[in-house]
Amino acid sequence: MVSNMIYIVTAVYAEAHAIITHFHLKKDVSFTRFQIFDNQEAGIRLVVTGTGGVAAAVAIADTCKRAQAGEFLVNIGTCAGIQAEEKVYRVGQIFLCNKIKEQVTGRAFYPDILYRHGFAEGQILTGAVPYTPDKGEDGFFLYDMEAAAVYQAGLYYFGPHQMSFLKVISDYGDGEKVTPELVMELMEGHMEEISEYLNLLRKAGGCEQEGANCPDSRLQKEADLLCTDMHCSKTMEAALRQCIRYGILSGADIEGVRKEMYFEGKLPCKDKKEGKLCFEEFKRRVL
């Protein structure tokens, strides 16, 4: 049985259908507030929250309160692709979100992306109502009604390095009706790459629960030293250790990168601000 769980959040059943089928998830009838589907052997639990930020936040609080180290929260669903100029991005394209902005407050959130992946990366704006055009907008961005709430509620149970946001463009925010059938078709078209990404997360997260048997156990002292010399907060320390685990699993020369950065004088850092910049460079070299 898989020991670490991946919690998947979708807004509507049509977004969940392909995932339920692919991973042979079964409905958990003990939950009555939300639709929950899981497969303990596969290490997947999926919750259909309903649309909007409040529903998403309550669903996460209800289902993720027992989340542990080495587990992940993944928000998967559809969104609008807003393009001020010519439509370069197409309906059906999938993105991994590297920035989430909450429209009503202007706050921005940044999930840590610690792993190599084959997705395009994009920014998503979360609003309280369906998208309406704004003449002041420029460039390309994604738009949904849940991501910012999922991130903020998820922070009570997960670190930024344990949350991912995968979004498929279903429309251009122009008021064209999106049918459940279209959503199911779009999600089905990406199931193989979504499955590969979830497996990558599971492999990286599983080490955190294996202790001395984890392949990065030989670098624990070095990891401790890096955390000290980068002045890591608890959250940053968890992300750094996860980055090291993934690097080992992917064959990166972690020890070589570490030695280079000491030789170049980038380590040790003088304070937390310098440490954050150093960590970003460490991630770039490892990935």
Side-chain angles (χ1 to χ4, degrees):
M1 180 178 290
V2 177
S3 58
N4 56 318
M5 185 72 71
I6 294 177
Y7 296 86
I8 298 175
V9 176
T10 72
V12 295
Y13 180 82
E15 295 170 336
H17 181 266
I19 303 169
I20 292 168
T21 302
H22 185 88
F23 290 105
H24 307 288
L25 307 184
K26 302 297 182 183
K27 189 170 185 178
D28 188 337
V29 295
S30 66
F31 285 85
T32 57
R33 295 182 181 89
F34 303 96
Q35 293 187 78
I36 305 287
F37 302 84
D38 58 24
N39 181 339
Q40 292 293 328
E41 293 293 333
I44 300 286
R45 169 163 286 182
L46 181 149
V47 55
V48 180
T49 67
T51 56
V54 173
V58 173
I60 289 168
D62 200 34
T63 58
C64 298
K65 54 192 174 186
R66 294 184 178 84
Q68 303 174 32
E71 298 187 331
F72 295 89
L73 175 66
V74 185
N75 180 206
I76 303 176
T78 53
C79 65
I82 311 303
Q83 303 177 62
E85 305 297 335
E86 181 183 353
K87 292 181 173 60
V88 177
Y89 299 96
R90 57 179 172 78
V91 167
Q93 189 164 355
I94 188 169
F95 288 84
L96 181 63
C97 300
N98 54 21
K99 177 182 177 180
I100 302 166
K101 184 176 179 180
E102 187 174 48
Q103 188 177 47
V104 69
T105 64
R107 296 178 65 194
F109 312 100
Y110 300 88
D112 278 332
I113 299 176
L114 301 180
Y115 317 109
R116 295 190 190 101
H117 60 84
F119 303 112
E121 293 188 17
Q123 302 181 11
I124 189 162
L125 176 67
T126 297
V129 296
Y131 178 78
T132 54
D134 183 341
K135 293 181 180 180
E137 293 162 350
D138 189 25
F140 167 77
F141 60 92
L142 307 172
Y143 184 93
D144 83 340
M145 294 172 59
E146 293 83 28
V150 170
Y151 185 92
Q152 291 175 87
L155 277 178
Y156 284 91
Y157 312 101
F158 305 90
H161 63 291
Q162 294 173 277
M163 293 189 283
S164 296
F165 297 78
L166 289 170
K167 299 290 180 175
V168 180
I169 296 177
S170 60
D171 62 283
Y172 296 116
D174 50 13
E176 184 175 344
K177 185 173 177 58
V178 178
T179 66
E181 291 76 19
L182 173 63
V183 171
M184 287 190 280
E185 180 182 343
L186 293 176
M187 297 301 298
E188 177 62 37
H190 291 289
M191 273 316 304
E192 289 303 320
E193 54 195 315
I194 289 174
S195 180
E196 288 178 9
Y197 184 71
L198 297 182
N199 285 335
L200 184 157
L201 295 181
R202 184 178 293 108
K203 288 178 182 178
C207 297
E208 194 159 325
Q209 297 182 334
E210 293 174 11
N213 295 322
C214 180
D216 71 336
S217 59
R218 67 187 185 278
L219 283 178
Q220 284 302 318
K221 289 183 179 179
E222 287 84 350
D224 290 342
L225 179 62
L226 280 171
C227 288
T228 298
D229 286 349
M230 287 186 186
H231 300 276
C232 290
S233 64
K234 288 293 184 181
T235 299
M236 185 173 151
E237 177 180 346
L240 174 61
R241 292 183 183 276
Q242 191 100 341
C243 183
I244 290 172
R245 279 191 292 275
Y246 171 72
I248 292 167
L249 290 168
S250 63
D253 184 7
I254 299 293
E255 190 170 5
V257 171
R258 175 180 57 80
K259 288 180 177 178
E260 278 181 3
M261 294 185 72
Y262 278 104
F263 180 76
E264 294 167 2
K266 298 181 183 298
L267 283 165
C269 303
K270 63 182 180 181
D271 53 32
K272 286 185 178 180
K273 182 177 180 181
E274 192 174 285
K276 288 181 180 179
L277 296 175
C278 186
F279 177 43
E280 291 303 316
E281 181 164 347
F282 180 81
K283 283 196 295 184
R284 286 195 296 271
R285 295 191 186 193
V286 168
L287 299 180

